[in-house]
Amino acid sequence: MARAGERVGRALGTGLRSARLGARRAGAVGMALSRQAAARAEQELASRGISTEELPELIAQRATGMSRRELAKRSRKARRQWERKAARSRKQLAKNAVAARKELAARIDPSLRRRRRRWPWALLVLTGMVVAVAVAFSRRPEELPVAGEDDFAQRNTKARHRAERADVPTQADSPVDAPERSR
């Protein structure tokens, strides 16, 4: 029994080694066969007058009737159209999901139906009215006190007439005789 583990370990090691060597041989044989197949395919294409660079173009043309450039252009266009359609579908799906959730919530418990709050609108309207009143009051002209009859009867200041001022010429004075005014 003591040697049984050793024998099993040796057998396992030998088996792993032979599996690794077999895999290496199979890889080498596969590579050699693929080289032979590629050389044979190139010879066959050369006998028909086709180069390896022309081959993908010819395959695409025979399969679809279009060149590779036309196929690429058409596939880009188709991809863009598909992306637009997918975006529209996603948007519509989101709208439908929201509507379905609301409808389901209303069916499950009609009392939980969400009511719209109107106080923000009322607050906005009230603020607007306050601003309008403030603007109206700020633009009103100042009211002057009404003069009574006795306000005109009494005068404490002497009247100023044009003729009494020295710097203003009278009609009798000529412009040459008038004193020069400072400018």
Side-chain angles (χ1 to χ4, degrees):
M1 286 299 271
R3 293 182 185 245
E6 188 177 307
R7 287 181 185 161
V8 170
R10 183 178 291 163
L12 185 64
T14 307
L16 285 174
R17 183 170 184 263
S18 63
R20 270 198 314 260
L21 290 175
R24 189 179 301 152
R25 276 190 222 120
V29 169
M31 205 169 4
L33 288 176
S34 63
R35 281 185 190 145
Q36 287 175 0
R40 198 175 309 136
E42 282 184 21
Q43 287 174 357
E44 190 70 30
L45 288 172
S47 68
R48 295 184 185 197
I50 301 170
S51 70
T52 54
E53 290 83 23
E54 296 172 352
L55 185 63
E57 182 72 29
L58 288 172
I59 291 173
Q61 201 156 16
R62 285 210 178 137
T64 61
M66 291 184 270
S67 69
R68 286 174 52 194
R69 285 186 180 167
E70 290 172 349
L71 280 173
K73 184 178 173 183
R74 186 178 258 188
S75 66
R76 279 192 302 267
K77 187 177 178 183
R79 191 178 307 119
R80 268 189 255 121
Q81 288 175 348
W82 183 83
E83 286 171 356
R84 283 190 213 121
K85 188 176 181 181
R88 284 194 301 264
S89 296
R90 259 186 256 116
K91 194 181 288 186
Q92 187 62 39
L93 181 64
K95 286 180 182 177
N96 292 345
V98 168
R101 273 192 228 114
K102 286 182 181 179
E103 186 178 326
L104 183 62
R107 283 187 180 180
I108 290 174
D109 194 3
S111 66
L112 289 179
R113 227 174 122 206
R114 190 172 173 207
R115 292 181 44 167
R116 290 181 58 199
R117 295 182 184 153
R118 292 192 174 89
W119 66 266
W121 289 103
L123 188 64
L124 186 65
V125 169
L126 185 64
T127 306
M129 289 172 56
V130 167
V131 168
V133 167
V135 167
F137 277 126
S138 69
R139 293 194 179 181
R140 280 183 34 192
E142 290 184 25
E143 293 182 19
L144 297 174
V146 180
E149 289 180 24
D150 51 318
D151 289 342
F152 292 110
Q154 205 179 60
R155 189 164 218 189
N156 297 337
T157 59
K158 186 178 171 186
R160 293 169 128 182
H161 293 286
R162 194 171 183 192
E164 295 175 358
R165 291 178 59 192
D167 60 337
V168 178
T170 59
Q171 288 181 354
D173 296 334
S174 66
V176 177
D177 298 337
E180 192 171 320
R181 285 189 261 181
S182 63
R183 295 189 197 258

